[in-house]
Amino acid sequence: MNGPVPASRRNAGLGRLIGVALAVFVLTFSLVPLYRIACEKVFGVRLERGPGQAAKTAAGSTVTRTVRVEFDGGVNSKLPWTFHPAQLTMEVVPGELNEALYFAQNRSDHALVGSAVPSVAPARASGYFSKTECFCFTAQTLQAGERRDMPVRFIVDPDLPADVKTITLSYTFYKNDALSAQLVTASAASFAPAAP
């Protein structure tokens, strides 16, 4: 037989319902900072934060911070390539996606594989400099005499310390001996006469 629900059970059920409502309320408000972190830190999308992000001039225009990025490139003596940036400097706005171009040419009479090693100076700026696309992510193969443009896309984090005004992005290309040897072996095998 069903009788009336005791008051203690009703109060326990009401307490759970209030607890769930409170948890949903807290979760809803915590989603805003989590969304901002996901957009800015993980996906590199810069969200406006109001007047704190940029100073307003007397004329009402927005003054945005810029950082000077200098580009440098070189080749290890074992690799007969020419390699240098297409431009030496660029003024960038932190938080925005930028693209710089490097130029490479294989000056030898055979195909070679090179691997680029990047560095960022000053060292404390390296954590605020993110490459989203770069020729340094994979080994590069250039045929004899081949020339190629090599783009790098990057973002300077808006949280870069204010006293860092210039960042230098430098690459050194090294001969990838193992992959170059594989190229020679593959090339020799393709030119070998077929067995009768």
Side-chain angles (χ1 to χ4, degrees):
M1 214 165 97
N2 291 339
V5 177
S8 62
R9 284 186 64 194
R10 268 192 311 226
N11 289 343
L14 183 62
R16 283 190 203 123
L17 186 60
I18 291 172
V20 168
L22 186 59
V24 169
F25 181 80
V26 170
L27 177 65
T28 302
F29 277 93
S30 67
L31 287 178
V32 174
L34 291 175
Y35 175 77
R36 183 173 299 281
I37 290 168
C39 286
E40 293 184 357
K41 301 292 184 192
V42 178
F43 301 109
V45 176
R46 183 175 177 217
L47 301 176
E48 289 299 322
R49 292 187 183 169
Q53 282 287 64
K56 299 281 184 181
T57 63
S61 63
T62 302
V63 176
T64 306
R65 175 185 180 197
T66 61
V67 176
R68 179 184 179 95
V69 179
E70 298 177 341
F71 303 98
D72 185 34
V75 183
N76 178 272
S77 60
K78 286 178 61 179
L79 185 64
W81 286 10
T82 299
F83 175 72
H84 57 81
Q87 68 184 85
L88 297 177
T89 64
M90 178 187 293
E91 292 291 325
V92 305
V93 175
E96 292 184 0
L97 182 64
N98 302 278
E99 181 177 290
L101 203 59
Y102 280 77
F103 170 80
Q105 180 182 10
N106 180 353
R107 294 181 285 108
S108 75
D109 60 357
H110 56 282
L112 287 169
V113 181
S115 295
V117 177
S119 67
V120 174
R124 67 192 186 105
S126 62
Y128 301 92
F129 192 94
S130 300
K131 293 181 287 297
T132 61
E133 182 180 323
C134 183
F135 53 86
C136 63
F137 293 163
T138 58
Q140 301 293 318
T141 302
L142 292 181
Q143 299 301 320
E146 181 182 356
R147 303 165 179 249
R148 185 182 306 161
D149 289 334
M150 296 186 171
V152 56
R153 291 192 175 98
F154 64 91
I155 298 171
V156 175
D157 193 312
D159 293 331
L160 177 74
D163 62 325
V164 178
K165 312 263 189 242
T166 302
I167 298 174
T168 302
L169 175 62
S170 182
Y171 291 96
T172 302
F173 252 108
Y174 293 89
K175 182 180 177 187
N176 189 317
D177 292 317
L179 292 178
S180 292
Q182 286 178 10
L183 266 183
V184 171
T185 304
S187 179
S190 67
F191 288 113

